[in-house]
Amino acid sequence: MFPFRWRERAEDKYLQLLFAFLFLFLAAPLILRIGFWGEFLLAYILLGTILQVIRTFNVGKRLFRTFLLLGATGVVSGTAIALAELQTPIETILQVVNDLSTIAFFLLVILLFVAKIFRDKTVTIDTLVGGISVYLTIGLMWATIYQLILIFDPLAFALPETQESARSGMFYFSYVTLTTLGYGDIAPVQPVSMLLAALEAIVGQIFPAIFIARLVGLYTAREASDRASSENRDPSE
């Protein structure tokens, strides 16, 4: 029997997603050496985990089917690319479809998660983990955007000589940019890539600030409510 049931642990809906992200970051350096199949395996694990989390939200059938359609499009196109191994226009088209469906999927996930988190009335561990998951998903979405740019402009980024794959390097570059570390080993050198990198850095600063402000506001409101309830309580009780 599977030890963890999502519907029984809906209050911890973001926890396993965070574990999936941790596995992604720890295993990626080794698995990505396999090539596209390694990238595909990591994406499949994360996709399945996100869909399980979405199921706990009890979203409408139409919205959930949209998530399934986008996820299936990414899986099918990614599998076709890995199996074909042909440097042809068809492969380029499949790669564009794969990246666009992945970007749309992550964007919808971010919007859904943010809506759910900011609708919470109290601060819980799940709320904190959800905010972290959104932040990490933003990094993944931007990494896919950079990969899409590379399809149309392979020279959009300056890469170190030791970088074997430009596509896999975009995951690293995205999170370095999102957290504004800016090591400089990978750098955007074309106007579009420079603009998107700057925009990601801005989002990487704005989202934590808004999220923390929301948490403080919820905590302060809860404290004020509890204090008012305590003061208005009948002393004879």
Side-chain angles (χ1 to χ4, degrees), residues 157-160 163 166 169-170 172-173 183-188:
F157 297 89
L159 304 172
Q163 183 69 42
M170 293 301 99
Y172 161 79
F173 173 73
Y183 288 124
D185 47 351
I186 300 178

Side-chain angles (χ1 to χ4, degrees), residues 88-217:
T88 65
I90 295 179
E91 182 180 358
T92 300
I93 294 173
L94 288 173
Q95 190 65 70
V96 170
V97 171
N98 180 272
D99 288 344
L100 286 176
S101 61
T102 303
I103 292 169
F105 180 85
F106 282 143
L107 179 60
L108 285 179
V109 167
I110 292 169
L111 295 176
L112 178 62
F113 284 10
V114 168
K116 294 291 184 180
I117 291 172
F118 280 78
R119 205 174 295 163
D120 289 344
K121 300 301 181 182
T122 57
V123 179
T124 64
I125 294 298
D126 193 52
T127 306
L128 297 175
V129 175
I132 296 172
S133 298
V134 170
Y135 191 73
L136 296 177
T137 306
I138 291 173
L140 281 179
M141 184 186 72
W142 240 276
T144 311
I145 293 174
Y146 296 142
Q147 290 177 337
L148 181 63
I149 291 176
L150 284 172
I151 296 176
F152 298 99
D153 186 2
L155 300 179
F157 297 89
L159 304 172
E161 296 181 357
T162 55
Q163 183 69 42
E164 298 179 359
S165 171
R167 282 185 63 87
S168 62
M170 293 301 99
F171 289 98
Y172 161 79
F173 173 73
S174 178
Y175 285 105
V176 168
T177 304
L178 185 67
T179 55
T180 65
L181 286 175
Y183 288 124
D185 47 351
I186 300 178
V189 294
Q190 298 296 337
V192 174
S193 57
M194 293 170 65
L195 176 62
L196 288 172
L199 184 59
E200 183 183 16
I202 294 172
V203 173
Q205 295 299 301
I206 290 179
F207 177 77
I210 295 176
F211 180 62
I212 292 174
R214 173 64 175 170
L215 295 181
V216 172

